[in-house]
Every structure is written in structure tokens, then in C-alpha cells.
């Protein structure tokens, strides 16, 4: 019996050992020392040495920074001045500068010579097929490194021929003396993350060569010929016909109102959805269409992950100036003086508090309260967890009492579903900014007279209950035919709720503004003068105070 117990115990131990070994194969991070290039494993982070020393990579950097191709929009020195925020702004701005709508948009201060140089640079990158393949393979090594729990400890010494090659490149681009050298040179986690971020735009340019050239050529023609009209010709024709027939606005004229109604029906029939007047009825198909959205999200994801990871590295592995605690000189700090230069990318700003919200305002970011304990890095970490396919939720609320019986609440929410946004193309016209054509039936003398008369009587405090009923009816009728507005008045609690919503592409982006007026009768909302003078003075004071708070925030 005792022997059976030992056997069972042995089986359990072996089972746990086998289970523990499954899927726990050590991550291959490459050699601990790089003495030459050209034979490094592309699936390891050590592959960085092959990219940095690649002659095609050096040629591209020469063209980019020394040849002046993008000198008007990118300054390499910003990557060495210690401010990652500025550096990242430059990277994002450079990438987002090609995220123009499909309209022909003329860039500021761009000459034909600039266009030619940009096309030349794109073609140069596209011709470096082997280099781009190296860069794409490097992604695997970086991803392997990011899965490693002790990734911030990653450091590899560069020796021999590899050291000679890498130092030549660093001296060249950092403007150092040709004889400058160090006894020991290392590549570490921060170097890997910076390089990984830096090469991504080159991959994008290579993969989108023809699209980018076409966009630049269109921009060049636009500069010569002027911007093309982004309004639909059918819409322009309808507007011209209507304004030609009715040069004067006259809402008391049945003829004018009939003409206006016909005009709006005609416009709403321009696009296939004839029941609504929407942006497709007004603008050409190419207007407000943004391409490469998924690529932009990918780069944003990479950008945020780089910031967060480098911050974790610098907090744990460097001194306050960004130099390694162990004194090792890396690609990033090569040629810099630890006693003079500031090389930290995130330490200067990562722990800055967002600051308290204005009095009376509360907010959350993905269910985390926004208060004076939330730091900049907390926001970036939240965004890092959301991208590329998660959901971002921002809420802001402001409540202010007018007096003991009246208060106003303002609530704003923003929901960004990156899974829905992570597509090649987004059309900003595809949203709920549309008007149901049933609303046009209100355009008659009887309805307009009835509505305006009731409003006038309430505003001048000479109304009776039937006027309130009339105004409520028209408020409900109008807002029920506006897809982006809703209105509700609860007579029992004297609470009015007005909601404005922008919904892009079935929930990819939803921005909602809700105004809640508590304790107000409908006449009080229409005619604030019906308040007591004390309440009016308090409302004016709170309004000025709120605007000042918003300006400060």
C-alpha cells in the first residue's frame, strides 16, 4: 500500500513537472555579446545591430536628415533633447501629415521642389526591399523581448567588428569627432524600443508607395489649379435655383415656404437615402474620407507602448538624467556627457499630475476617477491598454445649483471603439448628423405662426396653458426628426433633458452632451426673466465662474 502511495506521488510530481514545462520554453533574446553583424538571428532583439549598420539604412538617414528631404518637418535633434513629449509630437505630426482627407488639400509653404524631393525619398525607401524586410523581421525580436518579464534588464555588449560599424554610424549622425570612441558599448532595452518606433514609418512608406505618390501629385496639382470643390454639383444647382427664385427670406410667405420645402426635399433626394437630409446630400463622396486609419492606430499603439515601456525602464534603470545606473554607455547615450547632458525621455514629465478638475466637475477615464492623483503616465498607460482594439471611455460631469429649487447638470461622454475604428478608411459623413424629411412638413404658415406665437406669449409672460402645450408639441416634433438631438420634459419633476449626440459609423466614435435642467418649468426655460431677481443674479454669476474655470482648466 505504501508503495502505491509513492507511485501515485511520483506520477503527480512528474505531471506537474511536465505541465510546467509546456509553453515555458525560454525566450531567445540572442547573444549576450555581438562581435559582428550579418549573421544575427532576426527573431531576437540583438538584430538591431544588423539594421543600424546596414548601408541602406545609413543611406536613407543621410537623405532624410542630411539631404534635407524632410528638414522642414522633422528635426533629429529633438530626439536628443530629453523631451519625449516633443519628440513624439514630431513623430505623430509627421505621420499624421499624410492622414489628409481625400480632398485635394494644399500643404502650407510647400513648393514644387519639395514635392519632387518627397517623391524621391518615397521611391528611395521603396527600393530598399532587403532593408524593409529586415525591419519587419525585427518586429518579431521586439515582440519576443516585450514578452520577457525581466525585459528592462536586457543589455548586450557590442564588440569587435560590430562595435566599429555601430560607432561609425553613431559618430556620423551625432556629429562627433571621427576619432571618438568608448571602451565598452552596449545596446539595451531603451535602444531597442527607440529603434523599433523609428523604423515603423519607413515600413509604412514602403508598403504604401504608390498611394503616397498619388496623394502628393494630387496636392501638387491642387497648388497649381486651386482646390477642387467638395460640394456636390447637384447641391450647388439646387441652392442656385432656390436663391435665384427667392432672393429674400420671408417665413410669412406661403410661396416662399413652399419653395423652401421643395428645395429641402430635392436636396434630401440627392443621395440614396431619400428620407433624410444628410451630409451625403451636400458633399462629394471623397469629402471627409480619411485613409490609413488602421495604420495610424497601429503607429499610435506603438508610440504609446514605447512611451510606457521606456518610462518603466528609465524609472528602474537610470538616474535622474537618463544615464544608466551601472554606467554602461548605450547607443542612446553614446557621445553624451553624464555631467552635462540630459538624456531621459520621460522622467521630466511622466509623474506630473493632471491637476484637479474645476470645482463642481467630476470625470472618469475608463472608470478611473480623474483627480489630482492621476498622473500623465496613468493616462498613457490607460491608452496603451486600450489600443489597438479596445474601448476608451471618457466622462465629464458638472453640476451647479442655481438656488434651492433649481440646478443645471452638464454631462459629457466620449466612447471610442478602436475595434470599429481599426479599418483602412473612415468616412466622417457616415454619422447621425441627419434630418428626417418629415420635419419639412412643418414649413407652412399655420404651423410657423402657431409655434412662434406661443413662444412670443411665453417669452412675454402673457401665456396660458395651451401655449405651453403647443411649444412642447413642436419641441418634441422638431427634435424627434433630428437624429442627433433628443428632448424630454417631465412635468411631474419639472426636469428637462436635452441630449446632443454624434455617432460615427455605427458606434466607432460616440460623443454625447447631456443638459439637465432640474426644477425649471418650461416657461422658465424659455423666459429666464420669470425667475426671481436673486436667482437671475446667481445664474449670471455661476455662468461667469464656470467659464473662468473652463479657461483655467
Amino acid at each position: 500500500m505504501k508503495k502505491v502511495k509513492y507511485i501515485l506521488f511520483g506520477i503527480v510530481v512528474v505531471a506537474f513537472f511536465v505541465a510546467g514545462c509546456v509553453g515555458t520554453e525560454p525566450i531567445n533574446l540572442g547573444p549576450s555579446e555581438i562581435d559582428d553583424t550579418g549573421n544575427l538571428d532576426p527573431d531576437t532583439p540583438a538584430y538591431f545591430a544588423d539594421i543600424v549598420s546596414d548601408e541602406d539604412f545609413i543611406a536613407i538617414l543621410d537623405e532624410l536628415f542630411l539631404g534635407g528631404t524632410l528638414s522642414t518637418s522633422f528635426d533629429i535633434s529633438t530626439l536628443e533633447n530629453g523631451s519625449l513629449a516633443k519628440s513624439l509630437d514630431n513623430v505623430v505630426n509627421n505621420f499624421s501629415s499624410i492622414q489628409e482627407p481625400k480632398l485635394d488639400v494644399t500643404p502650407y509653404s510647400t513648393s514644387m521642389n519639395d514635392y519632387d524631393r518627397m517623391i524621391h525619398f518615397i521611391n528611395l525607401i521603396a527600393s530598399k526591399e532587403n532593408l524593409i524586410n529586415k525591419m519587419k523581421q525585427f518586429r518579431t525580436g521586439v515582440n519576443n523581448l516585450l514578452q520577457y518579464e525581466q525585459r528592462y534588464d536586457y543589455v548586450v555588449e557590442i564588440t569587435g567588428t560590430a562595435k566599429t560599424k555601430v560607432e561609425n554610424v553613431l559618430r556620423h549622425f551625432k556629429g562627433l569627432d571621427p576619432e571618438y570612441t568608448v571602451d565598452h558599448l552596449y545596446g539595451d532595452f531603451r535602444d531597442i524600443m527607440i529603434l523599433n518606433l523609428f523604423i515603423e514609418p519607413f515600413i509604412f512608406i514602403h508598403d504604401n508607395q504608390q498611394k503616397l505618390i498619388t496623394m502628393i501629385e494630387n496636392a501638387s496639382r491642387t497648388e497649381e489649379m486651386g482646390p477642387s470643390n467638395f460640394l456636390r454639383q447637384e447641391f450647388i444647382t439646387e441652392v442656385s435655383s432656390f436663391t435665384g427664385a427667392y432672393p429674400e427670406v420671408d417665413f410669412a410667405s406661403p410661396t416662399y415656404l413652399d419653395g423652401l420645402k421643395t428645395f429641402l426635399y430635392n436636396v434630401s433626394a440627392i443621395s440614396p437615402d431619400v428620407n433624410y437630409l444628410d451630409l451625403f446630400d451636400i458633399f462629394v463622396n471623397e469629402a471627409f474620407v480619411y485613409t490609413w486609419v488602421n495604420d495610424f492606430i497601429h503607429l499610435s499603439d506603438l508610440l504609446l507602448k514605447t512611451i510606457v515601456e521606456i518610462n518603466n525602464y528609465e524609472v528602474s534603470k537610470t538616474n535622474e538624467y537618463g544615464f544608466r545606473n551601472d554606467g554602461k554607455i548605450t547607443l542612446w547615450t553614446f557621445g553624451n556627457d553624464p555631467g552635462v547632458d540630459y538624456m531621459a525621455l520621460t522622467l521630466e514629465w511622466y509623474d506630473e499630475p493632471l491637476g484637479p478638475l474645476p470645482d463642481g466637475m467630476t470625470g472618469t477615464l475608463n472608470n478611473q476617477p480623474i483627480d489630482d492623483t492621476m498622473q500623465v503616465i496613468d493616462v498613457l498607460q490607460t491608452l496603451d491598454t486600450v489600443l489597438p482594439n479596445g474601448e476608451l471611455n471618457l466622462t465629464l460631469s458638472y453640476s451647479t445649483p442655481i438656488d434651492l429649487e433649481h440646478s443645471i447638470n452638464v454631462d459629457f461622454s466620449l466612447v471610442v471603439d478602436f475595434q470599429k475604428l481599426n479599418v483602412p478608411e473612415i468616412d466622417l459623413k457616415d454619422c447621425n448628423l441627419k434630418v428626417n424629411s418629415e420635419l419639412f412638413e412643418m414649413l407652412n404658415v399655420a404651423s410657423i405662426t402657431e409655434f412662434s406665437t406661443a413662444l412670443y406669449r411665453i417669452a412675454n409672460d402673457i401665456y396660458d396653458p395651451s401655449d405651453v402645450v403647443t411649444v412642447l408639441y413642436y419641441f418634441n416634433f422638431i427634435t424627434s426628426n433630428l437624429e442627433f438631438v433628443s428632448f424630454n420634459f417631465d412635468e411631474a419633476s419639472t426636469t428637462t433633458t436635452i441630449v446632443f449626440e454624434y455617432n460615427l459609423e455605427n458606434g466607432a466614435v460616440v460623443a454625447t452632451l447631456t443638459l439637465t435642467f432640474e426644477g425649471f418649468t418650461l416657461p422658465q426655460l424659455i423666459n429666464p426673466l420669470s425667475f426671481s431677481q436673486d436667482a437671475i443674479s446667481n445664474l449670471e454669476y455661476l455662468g461667469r465662474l464656470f467659464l473662468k474655470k473652463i479657461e483655467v482648466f
Side-chain angles (χ1 to χ4, degrees), residues 342-362:
Y342 185 88
M343 299 304 295
L345 293 172
T346 67
L347 298 182
E348 191 174 23
W349 52 263
Y350 82 98
D351 58 352
E352 291 182 2
L354 292 183
L357 294 173
D359 293 341
M361 181 178 288
T362 59

Side-chain angles (χ1 to χ4, degrees), residues 476-489:
N476 285 316
F477 177 75
I478 293 171
T479 56
S480 66
N481 286 292
L482 300 176
E483 293 294 301
F484 52 93
V485 181
S486 67
F487 171 86
N488 180 69
F489 175 70

Side-chain angles (χ1 to χ4, degrees), residues 178-232:
E179 303 301 319
Y180 180 85
T181 187
V182 294
D183 293 334
H184 298 278
L185 179 65
Y186 298 86
D188 70 354
F189 178 82
R190 180 169 55 184
D191 295 326
I192 302 299
M193 296 305 295
I194 292 173
L195 179 62
N196 186 50
L197 175 64
F198 184 71
I199 65 178
E200 199 65 29
F202 298 132
I203 297 174
F204 172 82
I205 290 172
H206 171 272
D207 292 348
N208 294 275
Q209 176 193 12
Q210 196 52 54
K211 290 181 180 178
L212 287 168
I213 290 176
T214 299
M215 184 197 71
I216 292 170
E217 289 174 345
N218 288 340
S220 175
R221 285 193 295 270
T222 297
E223 187 173 50
E224 290 181 313
M225 304 171 61
S228 58
N229 201 322
F230 57 88
L231 296 176
R232 296 183 73 117

Side-chain angles (χ1 to χ4, degrees), residues 54-305:
D54 190 292
E55 291 183 0
D56 284 340
F57 186 57
I58 297 170
I60 288 177
L61 296 186
D62 273 335
E63 179 67 27
L64 179 63
F65 298 123
L66 306 181
T69 299
L70 298 179
S71 60
T72 58
S73 60
F74 192 94
D75 182 2
I76 191 173
S77 65
T78 61
L79 290 173
E80 295 193 358
N81 287 338
S83 174
L84 182 61
K86 294 178 181 178
S87 304
L88 296 176
D89 278 346
N90 278 349
V91 174
V92 172
N93 288 337
N94 287 325
F95 187 81
S96 62
S97 67
I98 57 177
Q99 305 299 311
E100 299 291 348
K102 287 185 177 178
L103 299 176
D104 288 332
V105 179
T106 304
Y108 295 110
S109 304
T110 305
S111 68
M112 288 299 294
N113 193 37
D114 290 328
Y115 291 123
D116 292 338
R117 285 204 302 267
M118 290 171 67
I119 291 175
H120 165 71
F121 184 66
I122 291 171
N123 287 330
L124 174 65
I125 292 176
S127 70
K128 308 299 184 182
E129 193 73 33
N130 290 335
L131 173 63
I132 297 300
N133 286 335
K134 279 186 178 182
M135 291 177 172
K136 290 180 178 179
Q137 288 176 311
F138 184 58
R139 289 170 170 171
T140 302
V142 175
N143 289 334
N144 286 337
L145 178 60
L146 290 174
Q147 294 173 27
Y148 183 48
E149 188 174 353
Q150 283 81 40
R151 56 189 175 276
Y152 308 123
D153 294 331
Y154 177 79
V155 62
V156 57
E157 185 169 6
I158 308 169
T159 63
T161 303
K163 180 172 180 287
T164 301
K165 291 179 180 179
V166 172
E167 283 193 338
N168 282 337
V169 175
L170 295 176
R171 283 193 293 265
H172 178 59
F173 288 107
K174 290 195 172 189
L176 301 174
D177 188 281
E179 303 301 319
Y180 180 85
T181 187
V182 294
D183 293 334
H184 298 278
L185 179 65
Y186 298 86
D188 70 354
F189 178 82
R190 180 169 55 184
D191 295 326
I192 302 299
M193 296 305 295
I194 292 173
L195 179 62
N196 186 50
L197 175 64
F198 184 71
I199 65 178
E200 199 65 29
F202 298 132
I203 297 174
F204 172 82
I205 290 172
H206 171 272
D207 292 348
N208 294 275
Q209 176 193 12
Q210 196 52 54
K211 290 181 180 178
L212 287 168
I213 290 176
T214 299
M215 184 197 71
I216 292 170
E217 289 174 345
N218 288 340
S220 175
R221 285 193 295 270
T222 297
E223 187 173 50
E224 290 181 313
M225 304 171 61
S228 58
N229 201 322
F230 57 88
L231 296 176
R232 296 183 73 117
Q233 186 56 51
E234 303 97 317
F235 175 72
I236 295 173
T237 300
E238 291 294 338
V239 171
S240 298
S241 298
F242 175 73
T243 54
Y246 305 97
E248 300 293 333
V249 176
D250 185 3
F251 284 102
S253 166
T255 304
Y256 176 83
L257 292 176
D258 286 342
L260 178 59
K261 184 191 300 184
T262 300
F263 162 71
L264 294 174
Y265 271 120
N266 289 344
V267 171
S268 66
I270 291 175
S271 67
D273 193 349
V274 297
N275 295 319
Y276 290 92
L277 195 163
D278 56 28
L279 299 179
F280 292 100
D281 295 311
I282 300 172
F283 300 102
V284 297
N285 292 335
E286 296 79 12
F288 309 114
V289 174
Y290 283 79
T291 55
W292 299 313
V293 178
N294 53 343
D295 291 294
F296 182 75
I297 289 176
H298 166 71
L299 184 63
S300 299
D301 181 30
L302 179 62
L303 193 64
L304 287 165
K305 187 170 295 298

Side-chain angles (χ1 to χ4, degrees), residues 389 417-423 426 505-508:
N389 294 311
D417 188 334
F418 286 102
Q419 187 167 10
K420 293 181 179 179
L421 268 183
N422 202 354
V423 293
I426 286 289
E505 296 212 349
N506 296 319

Side-chain angles (χ1 to χ4, degrees), residues 313-327:
Y313 161 88
E314 290 187 336
V315 168
S316 61
K317 298 298 178 182
T318 74
N319 62 23
E320 59 183 314
Y321 299 103
F323 291 86
R324 287 181 62 95
N325 292 326
D326 58 14

